Amino acid sequence: MRILDKLLVRRARPVRRLLVLDAAVGIASAALVLLQAILIARIVAQAFAGAGLAEVSSDLALLALTFCARSVTAWVFEVAGRRAASTVLSELRLALVERRLRDEPLALDRAGAGEIAATAVQGAEGLEAYFARYLPQVVLALVVPVAVLALAAAIDPVSAGLMLLTLPLVPVFMWLVGRYTEERTLERWLSLRLLSNHFLDVVRGLPTLRSFNRARQQADVLARVGEHYRRTTIGTLRVGFLSGSVLELAATLGVALVAVTVGVRLVDGGLGLQAGLTVLVLAPELYLPMRQLASQFHASADGVAVAERMLELLERAPDRRRPRILLAPSPLDAPVRLEAVSFSYPSRPEFVLDGLSLELRPGETVALVGPSGSGKTTVANLILGFVEPRAGRITAGGHDLALCRTDVWRRHIAWVPQQPTLFRGTIADNIRLGRLDATERDVRDAGVLAGADRFIQALPFGYETLVGDGGRPLSAGERRRIALARAFVRDAPLVILDEPTADLDRTSAAVVAESVERLRSGRMVILIAHRLELVEHVDRVVSLGGGSAPVRSEAP
């Protein structure tokens, strides 16, 4: 069992002050434990000696203040820990999202969307126990036993020796149980990751499953995966409960041994009553922080199991050999060239593109055609900067895009993907994503140019109709036209269209084709297409064939 994870502790640097406060509170709590034991023993010893209430009133008042102070320190301890946990978790989630959106938008590290969602939500929640309770408890487990042993040694070295002899039993049991707990918790997290990825895949493919009447079979698969997750969860809980019993037994045996020894020596007169009572009160406090540490370890085990994968996603530096400091020229004035570009995906050993050379001239419309898997979409991803070539380079006006700022370069590009995303909001808000400062008139003009204005005006609330999650459902053709409206309102010099008429009926495809024809005017356009009606009026057709160099042919 790892007491501290170095990478997780390093992530806690922004809240170092709160953790230092927790450490200070832990030291104060240890001092209050010692003071409480001394006061209780003194009051009881004076009462046995026949002292009246007035004689012990000052000690009673101090004891009451000590109890109140321990309550306050416990509250501060909890609040500071939770505040630190909240800050660290927010930064972890933000870093994970930025990592996915900026450095790995295509998830080439093979981390599925379901796994990312489970990691960022439930996995990060599991880390809250680690930062809020486990790390502060480590401080108490280090400070309190040392303070208790030091005071016990000053009062009764024999009892302190027994405490020191029995104390290692608790860490040994913690280590043995913790090793097994880590294995069970990791198995549980892998089951949750499998369930999350599979469930997301089923939801995404639900229309297709229903079309082929295969939805019921997937429900059975989800039931089996969910049952495996349930069994692993119950197994983890069982280990947690059993480990608590084992640690309680070890602590009870240690306290009992000290108590029996102290009792025999009190009867023989070898130990004073106040000293014996002080040792007896201190004995449970010696083991309590260690038992609570083990308890908090089990509570944070889920987060620690997720942390390894989360930190792997966060700590791996992006593959960038040189700093990006240059500003790429606009495609309106400069050609874009792919020079002997090669690229392969981690899941496919062969090259998708192998030595591809292609020049895109300002104002030119180039259609990329070829069979599925020939690299058409990969060319778009390379130009967009979502991935970098394994060999060769991409230039704009002679400037290597690997040296240019990606955020500035993307401002020159309007991208219409094959499956455009509509976010929860109005249709106007979704169109305005192309240019956030677009006016209402700009949005409506873009809708007209994209051939979307007619169906939008027919909706009950027009451009203010709510779409996206929980909003009004739209057909594939309507979604494509809204995506084209984004491209029109963006008014970028380079437009990338990825299969804009795929899966559309003839009527919808004709409307989209007319919009594409209007969009290409005066712009550099890369058109990925299968349908002939889209490539009839392009300037050039480039055929890609399974990673080979392109074969250029003039458009008819």
Side-chain angles (χ1 to χ4, degrees), residues 441-458:
R441 178 62 181 272
D442 294 334
V443 170
R444 292 182 181 273
D445 290 344
V448 172
L449 292 172
D453 184 71
R454 181 176 298 179
F455 88 81
I456 294 176
Q457 295 288 5

Side-chain angles (χ1 to χ4, degrees), residues 353-378:
L353 299 174
D354 189 5
L356 173 64
S357 294
L358 176 64
E359 181 178 4
L360 307 169
R361 294 182 284 272
E364 181 185 37
T365 299
V366 176
L368 300 181
V369 299
S372 297
S374 59
K376 302 184 299 297
T377 301
T378 301

Side-chain angles (χ1 to χ4, degrees), residues 226-286:
E227 175 62 20
H228 182 257
Y229 176 62
R230 185 194 67 82
R231 289 197 303 268
T232 56
T233 301
I234 294 299
T236 303
L237 292 175
R238 187 184 299 115
V239 172
F241 288 133
L242 292 176
S243 66
S245 301
V246 171
L247 295 177
E248 287 287 343
L249 176 62
T252 301
L253 290 176
V255 173
L257 182 60
V258 173
V260 170
T261 305
V262 168
V264 171
R265 295 170 63 206
L266 282 174
V267 172
D268 292 341
L271 185 65
L273 178 59
Q274 182 173 340
L277 289 174
T278 302
V279 172
L280 288 177
V281 175
L282 287 175
E285 299 290 348
L286 175 69

Side-chain angles (χ1 to χ4, degrees), residues 338 356-359 361 540-543 549-554:
L338 282 74
L356 173 64
S357 294
L358 176 64
E359 181 178 4
R361 294 182 284 272
R540 198 151 40 102
V541 176
V542 176
S543 177
V551 178
R552 297 180 176 83
S553 62
E554 294 299 326

Side-chain angles (χ1 to χ4, degrees), residues 2-13 130-131 135 304 307 311 315:
R2 293 172 298 178
I3 296 296
L4 292 176
D5 189 292
K6 293 182 179 179
L7 292 178
L8 285 178
V9 173
R10 190 172 68 187
R11 285 283 172 180
R13 286 178 181 175
Y130 182 88
F131 287 106
L135 279 184
V304 175
L311 294 175
E315 298 293 331

Side-chain angles (χ1 to χ4, degrees), residues 14-169:
V15 292
R16 187 176 298 173
R17 291 184 179 179
L18 289 174
L19 295 180
V20 170
L21 175 62
D22 259 349
V25 171
I27 295 174
S29 178
L32 291 173
V33 167
L34 303 183
L35 179 60
Q36 176 183 291
I38 293 173
L39 290 174
I40 290 175
R42 181 189 298 175
I43 292 171
V44 173
Q46 290 178 355
F48 268 93
L53 182 60
E55 297 178 56
V56 298
S57 58
S58 59
D59 287 338
L60 285 174
L62 187 56
L63 181 61
L65 290 175
T66 303
F67 276 115
C68 293
R70 288 197 68 180
S71 300
V72 171
T73 56
W75 177 78
V76 173
F77 199 76
E78 182 76 11
V79 170
R82 287 191 175 276
R83 179 67 61 85
S86 177
T87 302
V88 172
L89 294 185
S90 296
E91 293 192 356
L92 278 174
R93 287 192 176 106
L94 181 60
L96 186 59
V97 171
E98 288 183 344
R99 175 71 181 176
R100 302 307 297 177
L101 294 181
R102 294 182 179 179
D103 299 325
E104 292 286 351
L106 298 185
L108 296 183
D109 53 6
R110 304 183 185 181
E115 178 186 354
I116 296 298
T119 300
V121 180
Q122 186 170 345
E125 288 296 332
L127 279 175
E128 180 181 6
Y130 182 88
F131 287 106
R133 296 188 291 274
Y134 179 75
L135 279 184
Q137 190 61 40
V138 170
V139 177
L140 292 181
L142 293 175
V143 173
V144 173
V146 173
V148 169
L149 285 173
L151 181 60
I155 296 174
D156 182 19
V158 175
S159 298
L162 289 174
M163 290 181 181
L164 186 60
L165 183 65
T166 56
L167 181 61
L169 290 176

